[in-house]
Amino acid sequence: MASGSTPLTEFQSGNREAQQATTPGQSSGLSPASRANYEGQEGTNDSGNRQPHEIYAHRIFSFSSRTPSERLYSGTHYRALSEFLIPNLGQSPHQGGTLTRANDLPSFVTIHTLNNGSNGSKRRDIYQCRSFDILSEKLDRLHGNRVVFLRGYPSSEWLCRLGAKLNLDYEFLYQHFANSSQLSVAESHSLPPLSLISTDTIQLTFTSIGSWDNHNSGINITTARREFRREMKEFVENLNSGQVTALCDSIVRSFYLHDLNYFSIEQMMSLKLLEHETFWTLLIWSDFGESLSRSHGGPWRQIEQVHSSATQFIPIPMQHSNLNIKYLTTSANRGRRLAERASPVSPVGLAQTLSFLHSDLGKSLDQEAANEDPFYAIDEIFRLHASSEHQFLNLMEEKAQEKGQSAGDIRNSIAEIKIIKKLVDKHRERLCDTLEIIEARGGRNWPQVSSLDQGRAKKAERAVECLTLTFAKLIRRAKAVSEACTDEMAVLSNDSMVREAQKSIQQAEGVAKVAFIAFVFVPLSFATSFFGMSIAELSGNGLGIWSWFALSIPLLFFSLLAWWMTGDKRRKLYSWASDIFQVSKVSSG
């Protein structure tokens, strides 16, 4: 967020107004006294008077209390998650207006049905839900293959009720929440996770590039990075405390300022396949929520409000066939959507292409193939991910070339290229992980199109082959950009060495000139000094000239001896003199 990743723990439920009214500094995590008091209640039977969503939260809370000193399998790394799922003990799950005022809240959940639409058409139905009651009714009624989107910042009640309704693995929530800023996770050194394929889970990190002009403030790059680093830290702290963050707010994991024209942010998407008796649910939880212009802070907000007169995220380009373009331009008047629709994300300010993913996914796919093959159903997500990575690598290559050709400080240019190379290598590792996911087609338990339908099977297979080739090319591209960075640093280092050599030559030439001047004037100075002495042979009085030689020759001898006596010779002389002194002392005794 980089940088390092942004913490997603200790969220607090409630709408924006209720959260902003919370006492500053208050955290949604449990105090030690509350935890101890709550642990005393864990001896009761799960099936007592608790609702399913309460049992779901209590079970992970109980497991997170297991310490390594007591059990082989401890749950301390789940502690931050468990404290988020139980933010307020003894309160009603609807207290605070989290779900009762549906009209005041954005849509946290969107459902896509992949079987035939309700009117018999082959186009999917899309339901955007702003209350859990509506969502529960849809999940109970729609028994067919489906995609369920969760977008942005959650509330504890949403996750508990969804987890209980879909029997959602706690590990999926942990993998999306976990980050190195959480104390319990940092102590276990469990990030990044070892393997996600075995759990039928996919994690993708998307990079969005933003542009700004720096016309308003004229800030320099060093000051900007220092200020934006402080802004990002404050954004993380606010996110941890949950004081000013509302449901469906976008989450940013990392922020990078590349120069005074471009910056980039990283956001995560987690995908989980849930199998039921006769159908499956593909759960997608992304960090892309409401427009970042509505976020509670962050460097992008400071750029937009203080430094830049024009700030925007660059759209992610996608390749489309003529048929897809025709469908996308006419699909607005087709299909059926229920009345429970969330307000669309504002297309102004810091709107992102990926913010519309929950409502526009799958419009260019074969719906029948998507209904049978869940990996094909998310083909557009992987193509968007590939496009964003290609866009980012192009930017990094451009910036590396600019720094390599810069006439400024070479050391600063090398340091900037090192940062670029580190980022590119990080993306290259992620691309390799993504290619493994594609080759596994999501995971070992992900179903595929039946071989009886050759047409749809070939279409799904071609999509996988295309993704495999695309990401293999991106890996080669990332390697080429990384090697180009290495070459640029080598050229700059060689240039620096050449410049230093030229400076040494210039200095040597200056010393030679001084030596030549000394060669001319030292004899003259000697002659002047010699004839200026008061000696009997020249002035008729004073000592004879022999006295000058008697003093000068011993001084010259000792000077030459001091110049000749290096460190080793001086140590040997000292040792020889010490031995002689000891021998003379013994003989005299």
Short mmCIF file of all heavy atoms in Angstrom, two decimals, residues 161-199:
data_model
loop_
_atom_site.label_atom_id
_atom_site.label_comp_id
_atom_site.label_asym_id
_atom_site.label_seq_id
_atom_site.Cartn_x
_atom_site.Cartn_y
_atom_site.Cartn_z
N ARG A 161 -24.73 -11.83 7.34
CA ARG A 161 -25.94 -12.41 6.75
C ARG A 161 -25.63 -13.11 5.42
O ARG A 161 -26.19 -14.17 5.14
CB ARG A 161 -27.00 -11.33 6.57
CG ARG A 161 -27.57 -10.83 7.90
CD ARG A 161 -28.61 -9.74 7.69
NE ARG A 161 -29.22 -9.33 8.95
CZ ARG A 161 -30.33 -9.86 9.48
NH1 ARG A 161 -30.93 -10.86 8.86
NH2 ARG A 161 -30.81 -9.42 10.63
N LEU A 162 -24.77 -12.53 4.62
CA LEU A 162 -24.36 -13.19 3.39
C LEU A 162 -23.62 -14.48 3.69
O LEU A 162 -23.81 -15.51 3.04
CB LEU A 162 -23.49 -12.26 2.55
CG LEU A 162 -24.20 -11.29 1.62
CD1 LEU A 162 -23.22 -10.28 1.06
CD2 LEU A 162 -24.88 -12.04 0.49
N GLY A 163 -22.70 -14.41 4.67
CA GLY A 163 -21.93 -15.60 5.03
C GLY A 163 -22.81 -16.73 5.51
O GLY A 163 -22.62 -17.89 5.15
N ALA A 164 -23.82 -16.41 6.33
CA ALA A 164 -24.73 -17.45 6.82
C ALA A 164 -25.64 -17.97 5.71
O ALA A 164 -25.91 -19.16 5.63
CB ALA A 164 -25.56 -16.89 7.98
N LYS A 165 -26.09 -17.07 4.84
CA LYS A 165 -27.01 -17.46 3.77
C LYS A 165 -26.34 -18.36 2.73
O LYS A 165 -26.91 -19.35 2.26
CB LYS A 165 -27.55 -16.20 3.09
CG LYS A 165 -28.68 -16.46 2.10
CD LYS A 165 -29.95 -16.84 2.82
CE LYS A 165 -31.11 -16.99 1.86
NZ LYS A 165 -32.36 -17.34 2.57
N LEU A 166 -25.09 -18.03 2.39
CA LEU A 166 -24.37 -18.77 1.34
C LEU A 166 -23.36 -19.75 1.90
O LEU A 166 -22.63 -20.39 1.13
CB LEU A 166 -23.66 -17.77 0.42
CG LEU A 166 -24.55 -16.77 -0.32
CD1 LEU A 166 -23.70 -15.78 -1.11
CD2 LEU A 166 -25.52 -17.50 -1.25
N ASN A 167 -23.29 -19.87 3.24
CA ASN A 167 -22.30 -20.74 3.88
C ASN A 167 -20.90 -20.38 3.37
O ASN A 167 -20.10 -21.22 2.97
CB ASN A 167 -22.59 -22.22 3.61
CG ASN A 167 -21.77 -23.13 4.49
OD1 ASN A 167 -21.34 -22.75 5.59
ND2 ASN A 167 -21.52 -24.35 4.03
N LEU A 168 -20.61 -19.10 3.41
CA LEU A 168 -19.37 -18.56 2.85
C LEU A 168 -18.20 -18.87 3.76
O LEU A 168 -18.25 -18.68 4.97
CB LEU A 168 -19.52 -17.04 2.68
CG LEU A 168 -18.40 -16.30 1.98
CD1 LEU A 168 -18.21 -16.81 0.57
CD2 LEU A 168 -18.71 -14.80 1.97
N ASP A 169 -17.12 -19.37 3.17
CA ASP A 169 -15.92 -19.68 3.94
C ASP A 169 -15.36 -18.43 4.60
O ASP A 169 -15.23 -17.38 3.95
CB ASP A 169 -14.84 -20.30 3.04
CG ASP A 169 -15.17 -21.71 2.63
OD1 ASP A 169 -16.06 -22.31 3.25
OD2 ASP A 169 -14.55 -22.21 1.67
N TYR A 170 -14.97 -18.56 5.86
CA TYR A 170 -14.30 -17.46 6.53
C TYR A 170 -12.98 -17.12 5.85
O TYR A 170 -12.54 -15.97 5.85
CB TYR A 170 -14.04 -17.79 8.01
CG TYR A 170 -15.28 -18.05 8.82
CD1 TYR A 170 -15.61 -19.34 9.22
CD2 TYR A 170 -16.12 -17.00 9.19
CE1 TYR A 170 -16.75 -19.58 9.97
CE2 TYR A 170 -17.26 -17.24 9.95
CZ TYR A 170 -17.57 -18.53 10.33
OH TYR A 170 -18.69 -18.77 11.08
N GLU A 171 -12.35 -18.14 5.27
CA GLU A 171 -11.06 -17.93 4.62
C GLU A 171 -11.18 -16.95 3.46
O GLU A 171 -10.26 -16.17 3.19
CB GLU A 171 -10.50 -19.27 4.12
CG GLU A 171 -9.10 -19.19 3.53
CD GLU A 171 -8.05 -18.82 4.55
OE1 GLU A 171 -8.29 -19.02 5.77
OE2 GLU A 171 -6.98 -18.33 4.14
N PHE A 172 -12.32 -16.97 2.77
CA PHE A 172 -12.52 -16.03 1.67
C PHE A 172 -12.55 -14.60 2.20
O PHE A 172 -11.92 -13.70 1.62
CB PHE A 172 -13.84 -16.35 0.96
CG PHE A 172 -14.21 -15.34 -0.10
CD1 PHE A 172 -13.59 -15.34 -1.33
CD2 PHE A 172 -15.18 -14.38 0.16
CE1 PHE A 172 -13.93 -14.40 -2.31
CE2 PHE A 172 -15.54 -13.45 -0.80
CZ PHE A 172 -14.90 -13.46 -2.04
N LEU A 173 -13.27 -14.37 3.30
CA LEU A 173 -13.30 -13.04 3.90
C LEU A 173 -11.92 -12.64 4.40
O LEU A 173 -11.49 -11.49 4.22
CB LEU A 173 -14.30 -13.00 5.06
CG LEU A 173 -15.75 -13.33 4.73
CD1 LEU A 173 -16.60 -13.22 5.99
CD2 LEU A 173 -16.29 -12.43 3.64
N TYR A 174 -11.21 -13.59 5.00
CA TYR A 174 -9.87 -13.29 5.52
C TYR A 174 -8.93 -12.91 4.38
O TYR A 174 -8.15 -11.96 4.49
CB TYR A 174 -9.33 -14.52 6.26
CG TYR A 174 -7.85 -14.45 6.55
CD1 TYR A 174 -7.35 -13.61 7.54
CD2 TYR A 174 -6.95 -15.23 5.83
CE1 TYR A 174 -6.01 -13.54 7.81
CE2 TYR A 174 -5.60 -15.16 6.10
CZ TYR A 174 -5.13 -14.32 7.08
OH TYR A 174 -3.78 -14.26 7.33
N GLN A 175 -9.00 -13.65 3.27
CA GLN A 175 -8.10 -13.37 2.15
C GLN A 175 -8.36 -12.00 1.55
O GLN A 175 -7.43 -11.35 1.06
CB GLN A 175 -8.24 -14.46 1.09
CG GLN A 175 -7.66 -15.80 1.50
CD GLN A 175 -8.10 -16.93 0.59
OE1 GLN A 175 -8.89 -16.73 -0.33
NE2 GLN A 175 -7.59 -18.12 0.84
N HIS A 176 -9.61 -11.55 1.58
CA HIS A 176 -9.90 -10.22 1.03
C HIS A 176 -9.59 -9.13 2.05
O HIS A 176 -9.17 -8.04 1.67
CB HIS A 176 -11.38 -10.13 0.62
CG HIS A 176 -11.69 -8.94 -0.22
ND1 HIS A 176 -11.44 -8.90 -1.57
CD2 HIS A 176 -12.22 -7.73 0.10
CE1 HIS A 176 -11.81 -7.72 -2.05
NE2 HIS A 176 -12.29 -6.99 -1.05
N PHE A 177 -9.76 -9.43 3.35
CA PHE A 177 -9.50 -8.44 4.39
C PHE A 177 -8.02 -8.33 4.73
O PHE A 177 -7.53 -7.26 5.05
CB PHE A 177 -10.24 -8.83 5.68
CG PHE A 177 -11.64 -8.29 5.75
CD1 PHE A 177 -12.61 -8.77 4.91
CD2 PHE A 177 -11.98 -7.32 6.66
CE1 PHE A 177 -13.90 -8.30 4.97
CE2 PHE A 177 -13.27 -6.84 6.74
CZ PHE A 177 -14.23 -7.33 5.89
N ALA A 178 -7.33 -9.46 4.72
CA ALA A 178 -6.00 -9.55 5.33
C ALA A 178 -5.02 -8.60 4.66
O ALA A 178 -4.99 -8.46 3.45
CB ALA A 178 -5.48 -10.99 5.24
N ASN A 179 -4.20 -7.96 5.48
CA ASN A 179 -3.13 -7.11 5.00
C ASN A 179 -2.09 -6.98 6.11
O ASN A 179 -2.36 -7.25 7.27
CB ASN A 179 -3.65 -5.74 4.57
CG ASN A 179 -4.37 -5.03 5.69
OD1 ASN A 179 -3.75 -4.41 6.53
ND2 ASN A 179 -5.69 -5.16 5.71
N SER A 180 -0.91 -6.56 5.73
CA SER A 180 0.21 -6.57 6.67
C SER A 180 0.09 -5.53 7.77
O SER A 180 0.88 -5.53 8.71
CB SER A 180 1.52 -6.33 5.90
OG SER A 180 1.46 -5.13 5.17
N SER A 181 -0.88 -4.61 7.68
CA SER A 181 -1.04 -3.61 8.72
C SER A 181 -1.77 -4.16 9.94
O SER A 181 -1.75 -3.55 11.00
CB SER A 181 -1.79 -2.39 8.18
OG SER A 181 -3.13 -2.73 7.90
N GLN A 182 -2.44 -5.29 9.77
CA GLN A 182 -3.12 -5.90 10.90
C GLN A 182 -2.09 -6.59 11.78
O GLN A 182 -1.27 -7.38 11.31
CB GLN A 182 -4.15 -6.92 10.43
CG GLN A 182 -5.20 -6.35 9.51
CD GLN A 182 -6.04 -7.42 8.87
OE1 GLN A 182 -5.91 -8.60 9.20
NE2 GLN A 182 -6.87 -7.02 7.94
N LEU A 183 -2.13 -6.30 13.05
CA LEU A 183 -1.11 -6.83 13.97
C LEU A 183 -1.11 -8.34 13.98
O LEU A 183 -0.06 -8.98 13.92
CB LEU A 183 -1.34 -6.27 15.38
CG LEU A 183 -0.31 -6.68 16.44
CD1 LEU A 183 1.06 -6.19 16.03
CD2 LEU A 183 -0.69 -6.11 17.80
N SER A 184 -2.29 -8.96 14.06
CA SER A 184 -2.36 -10.41 14.14
C SER A 184 -1.86 -11.07 12.87
O SER A 184 -1.27 -12.15 12.91
CB SER A 184 -3.80 -10.86 14.42
OG SER A 184 -4.67 -10.39 13.40
N VAL A 185 -2.07 -10.44 11.73
CA VAL A 185 -1.59 -10.99 10.46
C VAL A 185 -0.10 -10.77 10.32
O VAL A 185 0.64 -11.65 9.86
CB VAL A 185 -2.36 -10.36 9.29
CG1 VAL A 185 -1.80 -10.84 7.96
CG2 VAL A 185 -3.83 -10.71 9.37
N ALA A 186 0.37 -9.57 10.69
CA ALA A 186 1.79 -9.27 10.57
C ALA A 186 2.63 -10.21 11.42
O ALA A 186 3.72 -10.63 11.02
CB ALA A 186 2.05 -7.82 10.96
N GLU A 187 2.11 -10.56 12.60
CA GLU A 187 2.86 -11.45 13.47
C GLU A 187 2.96 -12.86 12.91
O GLU A 187 3.94 -13.56 13.16
CB GLU A 187 2.19 -11.49 14.85
CG GLU A 187 2.34 -10.19 15.64
CD GLU A 187 1.58 -10.23 16.95
OE1 GLU A 187 0.69 -11.08 17.08
OE2 GLU A 187 1.89 -9.43 17.84
N SER A 188 1.95 -13.27 12.14
CA SER A 188 1.98 -14.64 11.60
C SER A 188 2.73 -14.74 10.28
O SER A 188 3.02 -15.83 9.82
CB SER A 188 0.54 -15.14 11.39
OG SER A 188 -0.13 -14.33 10.42
N HIS A 189 3.03 -13.60 9.65
CA HIS A 189 3.74 -13.58 8.36
C HIS A 189 3.07 -14.51 7.36
O HIS A 189 3.72 -15.30 6.68
CB HIS A 189 5.21 -13.98 8.55
CG HIS A 189 5.95 -13.09 9.51
ND1 HIS A 189 6.36 -11.81 9.20
CD2 HIS A 189 6.34 -13.31 10.80
CE1 HIS A 189 6.97 -11.27 10.24
NE2 HIS A 189 6.96 -12.15 11.23
N SER A 190 1.77 -14.38 7.24
CA SER A 190 0.99 -15.28 6.39
C SER A 190 0.62 -14.68 5.05
O SER A 190 -0.12 -15.29 4.28
CB SER A 190 -0.29 -15.71 7.12
OG SER A 190 -1.05 -14.56 7.49
N LEU A 191 1.10 -13.49 4.76
CA LEU A 191 0.77 -12.84 3.49
C LEU A 191 2.01 -12.72 2.61
O LEU A 191 3.11 -12.50 3.11
CB LEU A 191 0.20 -11.44 3.75
CG LEU A 191 -1.15 -11.39 4.46
CD1 LEU A 191 -1.56 -9.94 4.66
CD2 LEU A 191 -2.21 -12.13 3.68
N PRO A 192 1.83 -12.84 1.29
CA PRO A 192 0.57 -13.20 0.62
C PRO A 192 0.24 -14.67 0.85
O PRO A 192 1.12 -15.46 1.22
CB PRO A 192 0.87 -12.92 -0.86
CG PRO A 192 2.35 -13.10 -0.97
CD PRO A 192 2.92 -12.63 0.33
N PRO A 193 -1.02 -15.08 0.64
CA PRO A 193 -1.40 -16.47 0.88
C PRO A 193 -0.63 -17.43 -0.02
O PRO A 193 -0.27 -17.08 -1.16
CB PRO A 193 -2.91 -16.50 0.58
CG PRO A 193 -3.17 -15.29 -0.24
CD PRO A 193 -2.16 -14.27 0.20
N LEU A 194 -0.40 -18.64 0.46
CA LEU A 194 0.41 -19.61 -0.27
C LEU A 194 -0.25 -20.04 -1.56
O LEU A 194 0.36 -20.06 -2.63
CB LEU A 194 0.68 -20.83 0.61
CG LEU A 194 1.49 -21.97 -0.03
CD1 LEU A 194 2.88 -21.46 -0.40
CD2 LEU A 194 1.60 -23.15 0.94
N SER A 195 -1.52 -20.39 -1.50
CA SER A 195 -2.22 -20.85 -2.69
C SER A 195 -3.69 -20.52 -2.57
O SER A 195 -4.30 -20.68 -1.52
CB SER A 195 -2.04 -22.36 -2.88
OG SER A 195 -2.80 -22.81 -3.98
N LEU A 196 -4.27 -20.04 -3.68
CA LEU A 196 -5.69 -19.76 -3.71
C LEU A 196 -6.45 -20.72 -4.61
O LEU A 196 -7.66 -20.88 -4.48
CB LEU A 196 -5.93 -18.32 -4.19
CG LEU A 196 -5.38 -17.20 -3.29
CD1 LEU A 196 -5.57 -15.86 -3.96
CD2 LEU A 196 -6.04 -17.22 -1.93
N ILE A 197 -5.72 -21.36 -5.54
CA ILE A 197 -6.37 -22.26 -6.49
C ILE A 197 -7.03 -23.43 -5.76
O ILE A 197 -8.13 -23.86 -6.10
CB ILE A 197 -5.36 -22.77 -7.53
CG1 ILE A 197 -4.86 -21.59 -8.39
CG2 ILE A 197 -5.98 -23.83 -8.43
CD1 ILE A 197 -3.83 -21.98 -9.41
N SER A 198 -6.37 -23.93 -4.72
CA SER A 198 -6.91 -25.08 -4.00
C SER A 198 -8.19 -24.75 -3.26
O SER A 198 -8.95 -25.66 -2.91
CB SER A 198 -5.85 -25.61 -3.01
OG SER A 198 -5.51 -24.61 -2.07
N THR A 199 -8.46 -23.47 -3.02
CA THR A 199 -9.68 -23.07 -2.33
C THR A 199 -10.75 -22.54 -3.28
O THR A 199 -11.74 -21.97 -2.83
CB THR A 199 -9.36 -21.98 -1.29
OG1 THR A 199 -8.82 -20.82 -1.96
CG2 THR A 199 -8.34 -22.46 -0.28
#
